[in-house]
Amino acid sequence: MESDPSFILERIVKELGVEQIVELLADRIPETDLYTLLLYVFREKTQRLVPSELLKRYQANRSVHPASVDPIQLKQLELDILKIASNHFATPVQLSPVAPLGSCSVVATVDQNKVLSAIRGTEVVSDVTNLLALHISDLLKSRKKSNREDYIRLCTTHRHVRTQYFNNPGMFPHFHLFCMVTSGTDTGSYQFEKQSF
């Protein structure tokens, strides 16, 4: 089956005659050079596209279609939830639509193939929990030692994209989530968890 990534990789290796193509690109080329190379490749590919082809691509790619949700009701729900969380000492933040490459697969058991990887060292957010945790870690690095024991409570609503295909009703390639993350120092006996809840 050609959609199998290993089959496609074998075909590419055979067609190009470069046995170690993945290792060469992943290990031998510095990241910034690889991103520059990929940017050049994508620019070349888009310059060869015609407008009628864009429509075909739009029709074939389920990830780019609008969600079947009332946007006004969704925005109102977001506002209501963020206000409730804010009243319970969680600070709302508006996060970027992209995260550092590996934000899910490096710290969790998520396969990178389920994430929409991008270039310039990024991926489209597929789990905002990890991005909030990274943001908190960055905040903690810049804090004075005496402030690090204070709780940090952040919340957000965010559009997520996942690339795996589900043949179930109600499973979509992009969807909205509300998320809260709390950071603090564990003092034992589940005190951090109790106070967080």
Side-chain angles (χ1 to χ4, degrees):
M1 182 178 194
E2 187 150 350
S3 61
D4 175 22
S6 60
F7 178 88
I8 294 171
L9 181 60
E10 286 174 25
R11 180 173 49 77
I12 292 168
V13 166
K14 188 176 179 182
E15 286 176 10
L16 296 179
V18 183
E19 288 291 324
Q20 306 293 322
I21 190 166
V22 174
E23 291 80 6
L24 287 171
L25 293 173
D27 299 331
R28 299 271 304 277
I29 299 176
E31 272 189 36
T32 53
D33 291 351
L34 178 61
Y35 302 149
T36 301
L37 172 65
L38 291 173
L39 282 168
Y40 184 79
V41 169
F42 290 141
R43 187 178 63 199
E44 287 294 308
K45 286 196 164 290
T46 56
Q47 286 176 347
R48 295 174 186 156
L49 284 174
V50 293
S52 60
E53 222 172 316
L54 281 179
L55 179 58
K56 288 179 189 170
R57 287 175 176 230
Y58 177 83
Q59 291 169 331
N61 189 337
R62 67 190 185 95
S63 296
V64 300
H65 297 174
S68 56
V69 64
D70 181 325
I72 295 172
Q73 286 182 347
L74 178 61
K75 293 296 178 196
Q76 187 58 57
L77 179 62
E78 283 184 84
L79 286 171
D80 292 344
I81 290 173
L82 290 172
K83 284 178 184 174
I84 291 168
S86 181
N87 289 336
H88 288 84
F89 310 106
T91 303
V93 291
Q94 182 70 55
L95 295 171
S96 171
V98 294
L101 187 67
S103 290
C104 287
S105 63
V106 172
V107 295
T109 57
V110 176
D111 190 305
Q112 192 65 32
N113 286 339
K114 295 178 181 176
V115 177
L116 187 57
S117 301
I119 52 176
R120 295 186 171 132
T122 61
E123 61 187 43
V124 177
V125 172
S126 63
D127 186 344
V128 75
T129 312
N130 294 6
L131 189 52
L132 275 176
L134 280 169
H135 182 58
I136 288 174
S137 297
D138 185 47
L139 290 173
L140 288 171
K141 286 276 186 188
S142 63
R143 277 189 167 194
K144 293 178 181 165
K145 208 167 192 178
S146 59
N147 289 348
R148 288 190 183 179
E149 291 185 11
D150 295 343
Y151 279 40
I152 300 176
R153 294 179 177 89
L154 300 181
C155 66
T156 193
T157 58
H158 206 283
R159 198 98 195 132
H160 289 63
V161 177
R162 304 249 174 100
T163 61
Q164 71 262 46
Y165 181 75
F166 291 106
N167 198 13
N168 302 350
M171 302 296 271
F172 303 103
H174 58 90
F175 50 91
H176 228 79
L177 286 180
F178 168 74
C179 177
M180 289 195 316
V181 173
T182 302
S183 167
T185 304
D186 189 8
T187 56
S189 303
Y190 298 102
Q191 281 303 112
F192 168 74
E193 289 85 348
K194 290 175 191 173
Q195 286 182 286
S196 298
F197 282 124

